[in-house]
Amino acid sequence: MAMNLEQVLATAKDGSSVHITLVSNQNNGIASYADGSLIFHPQSGGTEFGGPPLRPAHMESASPMKMYFSDRRLSIDPVPAGGFAPTPRQPFNANATEALSVSVAMTASDHKTINVSIKVFGNTVKFTMDRIGDLYAGVGPSLSQSSGAVFVLAFTGVSQLQIIH
């Protein structure tokens, strides 16, 4: 179940893992899916004249997530006796993923817009996403031969850092 950003900010502490799901769809029918965790860092600076500049609360990947694509198919059907291998038909082949890094930065205090940066295929692209209910949606980069992609991000939970003494 998705959390809204206010719930994330009320729950997360510095170093917490914020779990997300990020999906995309393009006008050529290719969709993508990724889920994983971002490390939370609270707002800092900006409180003293001449002190460190204001840095809004932000979250970033500690390690890359796996991004799955609907056009990367896996053969799941047995080869008929004496026949040829059937055409692969299972989309989102788990053996053909791409590494995805994500960062999310808050913009305004009303949390209606967030700045998102994704790194996939070796390229980093920034775009904004707007709040729709408990989800964020925005037009981002094309992930194939398309004019762009619609991305949807859900915050799906927060895990606190466990300190063992």
Side-chain angles (χ1 to χ4, degrees):
M1 181 162 168
M3 298 175 72
N4 64 44
L5 188 53
E6 285 80 11
Q7 291 169 317
V8 170
L9 295 173
T11 306
K13 309 282 186 246
D14 193 15
S16 294
S17 290
V18 178
H19 310 292
I20 66 163
T21 299
L22 181 68
V23 298
S24 73
N25 198 357
Q26 301 180 150
N27 65 3
N28 62 2
I30 297 174
S32 72
Y33 170 87
D35 69 341
S37 295
L38 307 178
I39 303 301
F40 177 80
H41 303 283
Q43 176 178 310
S44 63
T47 58
E48 297 178 21
F49 182 72
L54 175 65
R55 180 159 169 98
H58 62 285
M59 303 169 229
E60 57 198 1
S61 303
S63 58
M65 302 174 202
K66 289 182 179 180
M67 189 172 211
Y68 302 84
F69 294 90
S70 63
D71 65 333
R72 297 181 182 183
R73 297 182 179 271
L74 178 68
S75 184
I76 59 171
D77 299 311
V79 177
F84 295 104
T87 302
R89 65 182 178 97
Q90 177 66 51
F92 299 100
N93 183 342
N95 300 317
T97 60
E98 294 293 331
L100 171 72
S101 295
V102 178
S103 66
V104 175
M106 301 335 116
T107 54
S109 61
D110 63 6
H111 307 299
K112 291 188 179 187
T113 302
I114 56 175
N115 291 325
V116 176
S117 175
I118 63 171
K119 181 178 181 182
V120 65
F121 306 121
N123 299 312
T124 301
V125 181
K126 297 178 181 185
F127 57 100
T128 60
M129 298 180 91
D130 298 314
R131 185 174 176 173
I132 302 172
D134 288 344
L135 302 173
Y136 282 83
V139 176
S142 170
L143 299 174
S144 65
Q145 300 299 317
S146 181
S147 58
V150 174
F151 287 82
V152 178
L153 183 142
F155 296 106
T156 58
V158 175
S159 297
Q160 303 303 333
L161 182 64
Q162 298 290 326
I163 299 174
I164 300 172
H165 296 280

